[in-house]
Amino acid sequence: MALAIGVDIGGTKVAAGVVDTSGQVLRRARADTPERSVRPQVVEDTIVGVVTELIESCAEPIVAIGIGAAGFVAADRATIVFSPHLSWRNEPLRDRLSDRIGQPIFIDNDANAAMWAEAKYGAVRGETHAMMITLGTGIGGGILMGGEVIRGLFGIAGEFGHMQVVPGGHRCECGNRGCWEQYASGNALVREARGLVAANSPLARDLYERVAGDPARLTGPLVTEVAQAGDRTAIELLTEVGTWLGIGIANLAAAFDPGAFVIGGGVSAAGELLLDPARQAFRKQLTGRGFRPEARIVRAELGNEAGLIGAADLARESVAG
């Protein structure tokens, strides 16, 4: 069995796993993502640490290692051009990891890897034209057209999170204002919830009590938990994020016309509390609504492991030729 290791580098965690040819994760390792201010070497050390742990725990040989990185990956599939959440700037990550690990290394954008996994093993099996939207710290995106991942001439297609949706809007970590991820991501959800708690709004009484009045303790999963328990304000916060999600998806449908959109990332754990308002906003904003086929909007099946599963499978295919 040709086993590969997939590594998913997100804004808050580095998750890795040994993946077989059926997309099953056989072993797992995890570490916190280093702070953005630290040297790239520290992120590299973290990757090497989780990969080494998995290699040493696996009796069978590993054929390749795939890295799904939250950032712009150059067309050479070797260099991280830019990462808004990490300190990578034109970082030759593939070569540095190859030197230290001694295994074939494949690098791709994390959302591209997740798109591949969901198309091969998950929610959009059988779709030849689909798009992945990953909602976590920010928004990532992957494009599947004609059964192939589309990366663009320079390798960085699919950075949907940095489409401008509100001119002069919230400042984004990428440096611009009004990016989509400032309105439809985990960070957006937490920002709005913390604002209500900081203001001691009577609308956020349940959230306020959950964190003892300390906005810094408020997280996206907590907002989702409170919403799922029926809190009207938490539900409203997720509805707002879902509405922005649907607006952005309608724009993508106008440009790419896929058969399905698959929604992954940590925020997708909210399920229909997020997806139902997204579908409503999508239908309302869709160009030619009522006179054209409507793409499905579905939740990812592989959860938070889609990125590492896809990275591992792409790496395995790259060494198989």
Side-chain angles (χ1 to χ4, degrees):
M1 182 182 296
L3 300 181
I5 289 176
V7 182
D8 183 20
I9 307 168
T12 59
K13 70 180 184 302
V14 176
V18 177
V19 183
D20 67 15
T21 53
S22 66
Q24 296 298 308
V25 182
L26 307 180
R27 291 175 180 80
R28 296 170 174 83
R30 176 173 171 163
D32 292 336
T33 302
E35 295 289 337
R36 180 173 52 184
S37 59
V38 303
R39 295 177 297 109
Q41 175 76 33
V42 179
V43 184
E44 181 186 312
D45 292 343
T46 304
I47 298 168
V48 171
V50 295
V51 168
T52 300
E53 177 184 339
L54 289 173
I55 291 175
E56 291 177 348
S57 70
C58 191
E60 297 183 54
I62 301 297
V63 299
I65 296 164
I67 309 293
F72 299 175
V73 181
D76 62 6
R77 325 303 321 146
T79 305
I80 308 295
V81 176
F82 172 76
S83 174
H85 306 295
L86 293 168
S87 58
W88 287 327
R89 303 292 184 269
N90 291 309
E91 189 71 18
L93 187 63
R94 185 184 67 188
D95 293 343
R96 290 185 176 174
L97 292 177
S98 295
D99 291 342
R100 296 184 62 180
I101 298 173
Q103 293 271 8
I105 304 290
F106 177 90
I107 296 179
D108 208 339
N109 174 268
D110 57 349
N112 286 345
M115 175 76 266
W116 183 255
E118 291 291 343
K120 189 167 182 179
Y121 304 112
V124 288
R125 288 185 300 274
E127 290 281 359
T128 58
H129 293 66
M131 306 187 82
M132 180 86 191
I133 311 293
T134 59
L135 305 179
T137 307
I139 293 180
I143 306 167
L144 186 78
M145 292 288 151
E148 300 289 336
V149 175
I150 303 301
R151 300 181 176 91
L153 178 62
F154 303 109
I156 55 179
E159 289 295 335
F160 310 140
H162 300 289
M163 300 185 303
Q164 187 186 65
V165 295
V166 180
H170 292 297
R171 176 73 71 181
C172 183
E173 291 181 351
C174 76
N176 292 330
R177 286 188 179 274
C179 291
W180 188 27
E181 71 174 44
Q182 291 302 309
Y183 300 87
S185 69
N187 274 357
L189 178 66
V190 170
R191 182 189 66 233
E192 296 303 310
R194 286 179 175 174
L196 287 173
V197 170
N200 196 14
S201 169
L203 298 177
R205 179 53 48 193
D206 195 1
L207 288 170
Y208 186 94
E209 292 177 353
R210 292 285 189 113
V211 298
D214 182 4
R217 294 173 54 190
L218 198 57
T219 64
L222 178 58
V223 176
T224 296
E225 177 187 330
V226 173
Q228 290 171 335
D231 181 78
R232 293 177 62 182
T233 296
I235 291 171
E236 182 179 326
L237 290 169
L238 279 168
T239 297
E240 184 175 352
V241 170
T243 299
W244 277 111
L245 175 62
I247 291 169
I249 289 175
N251 289 334
L252 293 173
F256 293 95
D257 192 31
F261 291 91
V262 55
I263 313 301
V267 184
S268 69
E272 291 304 307
L273 289 173
L274 175 79
L275 296 185
D276 184 59
R279 293 188 189 104
Q280 292 183 41
F282 171 69
R283 295 184 183 115
K284 183 177 180 180
Q285 298 293 324
L286 183 64
T287 303
R289 53 193 173 276
F291 297 96
R292 60 178 289 177
E294 186 176 303
R296 296 184 296 135
I297 300 176
V298 298
R299 183 180 172 188
E301 289 183 1
L302 302 177
N304 290 333
E305 294 191 323
L308 71 86
I309 292 170
D313 200 71
L314 287 166
R316 182 167 34 233
E317 291 206 353
S318 73
V319 298

